[in-house]
Amino acid sequence: MSLKKRYGPWALIVGGSEGIGDHLARKLGAAGVNIVLVARKPGPLAETSQKIRDESGVEVRTLQLDISRDDMLARIREVTDGLDVGLLVHNVGGGKGFGPFVDCALEEVMSAVLTNPVAITKLAHHFGKPMAERGRGGILMIGSMAGNAGSYFLATYSAAKAYNQILMEALWAEFQPRGVDVLAFPIGAAATPSRARSGTIDADEMPVARPEDVAQQALDQLPHGPVYVSSENAEYFKALSSMPRREAAELQRDLLMRMLRAPTKGSAAEH
């Protein structure tokens, strides 16, 4: 079954202006799926939407929005009500809470919670219901390896990604018999613009994926949920999931310390 038939006629991509989101939107557009793009940065949002129109000729709607806002769902409904949204994509990073938990402002540490568990729960409930009723559609969450262990300097980010993954597993169990595909795709590092801005360096044990490859793998694996881990990250994912929790937390701490140029407060990378 084609992407358009399975997930069209509209896809909503939250976090769709750069990196993985950009490539997901362009690949779906090339398959004839109309796109609603939601992102914070107006420049990349306009550039990506124009690329999709030029390359594919599909209809594209955009919404500049910080999804940590209380009225997030209402704002998104303003551009999606009346559309047959067959695919929901949540491709959102960690927001501002990157650094020692107690040294960050409460607003910063709450950012990952609001943009991940709160946002994806609201979106999946709103858009998942009509998908389940018509027996067709998909929900895709781009996650993080950090969601498999409490991660140094990423306390609420790693906790938020863990919630997202468990939610996707539960929704897959509910939706799969009703014809709706659900997939969590926890990734490691990807060569996105946000990673370039994040102040991290490469670690030998964390391969850096191309965002176009992640996007293609996500679309290919969407019918085969609930969780997909790429081959280069599978061993690390399995180790984090199975080792004693103290060892997992220590492993993540050591990895993050090697990846940081300096252990200072900053902003978490986004996808």
Side-chain angles (χ1 to χ4, degrees), residues 122-147:
K122 291 180 178 179
L123 292 167
H125 185 268
H126 177 72
F127 292 100
K129 184 174 182 179
M131 293 180 195
E133 289 175 345
R134 67 174 174 264
R136 179 182 61 82
I139 301 174
L140 170 63
M141 189 278 296
I142 303 298
S144 173
M145 298 288 283

Side-chain angles (χ1 to χ4, degrees), residues 7-270:
Y7 305 120
W10 285 88
L12 168 63
I13 304 179
V14 180
S17 64
E18 293 184 324
I20 297 166
D22 168 274
H23 287 282
L24 281 168
R26 292 166 65 188
K27 289 177 184 295
L28 287 164
V33 180
N34 300 310
I35 306 294
V36 179
L37 291 177
V38 178
R40 289 183 297 114
K41 299 183 180 69
L45 188 61
E47 292 172 9
T48 296
S49 61
Q50 191 58 53
K51 280 190 291 188
I52 299 167
R53 294 185 184 101
D54 293 342
E55 293 170 357
S56 308
V58 297
E59 187 174 350
V60 183
R61 297 186 181 185
T62 62
L63 175 64
Q64 181 191 353
L65 179 68
D66 181 345
I67 65 167
S68 67
R69 291 173 48 139
D70 290 341
D71 63 349
M72 175 274 301
L73 182 57
R75 292 288 311 281
I76 289 178
R77 289 191 60 178
E78 290 175 2
V79 294
T80 58
D81 276 2
L83 302 182
D84 186 356
V85 175
L87 178 62
L88 165 65
V89 177
H90 182 276
N91 175 58
V92 178
K96 304 172 184 177
F98 183 36
F101 180 78
V102 295
D103 293 341
C104 294
L106 179 60
E107 177 186 357
E108 294 175 332
V109 299
M110 285 299 298
S111 178
V113 179
L114 296 173
T115 58
N116 282 272
V118 173
I120 198 170
T121 301
K122 291 180 178 179
L123 292 167
H125 185 268
H126 177 72
F127 292 100
K129 184 174 182 179
M131 293 180 195
E133 289 175 345
R134 67 174 174 264
R136 179 182 61 82
I139 301 174
L140 170 63
M141 189 278 296
I142 303 298
S144 173
M145 298 288 283
N148 284 273
S151 296
Y152 175 84
F153 269 32
L154 299 170
T156 51
Y157 174 78
S158 55
K161 290 301 184 181
Y163 174 97
N164 289 5
Q165 183 173 311
I166 296 299
L167 178 65
M168 294 298 100
E169 293 177 5
L171 293 185
W172 177 86
E174 292 187 20
F175 286 173
Q176 191 267 342
R178 303 180 71 174
V180 179
D181 299 327
V182 180
L183 181 71
F185 186 177
I187 65 170
T192 62
S194 59
R195 177 177 171 79
R197 295 189 295 264
S198 69
T200 60
I201 60 175
D202 296 342
D204 291 340
E205 60 268 61
M206 186 61 67
V208 180
R210 300 194 312 164
E212 56 267 40
D213 293 339
V214 174
Q216 189 61 58
Q217 289 174 359
L219 294 176
D220 290 343
Q221 295 298 323
L222 182 52
H224 310 296
V227 178
Y228 172 75
V229 181
S230 61
S231 58
E232 61 268 24
N233 292 318
E235 184 176 350
Y236 191 67
F237 179 88
K238 184 178 180 180
L240 280 179
S241 301
S242 61
M243 67 175 53
R245 304 321 302 159
R246 178 172 179 172
E247 292 181 16
E250 290 174 339
L251 182 63
Q252 285 291 82
R253 180 184 61 195
D254 293 346
L255 175 62
L256 264 293
M257 290 181 72
R258 289 195 297 274
M259 292 175 65
L260 292 170
R261 292 194 176 97
T264 56
K265 179 179 168 183
S267 296
E270 298 181 2

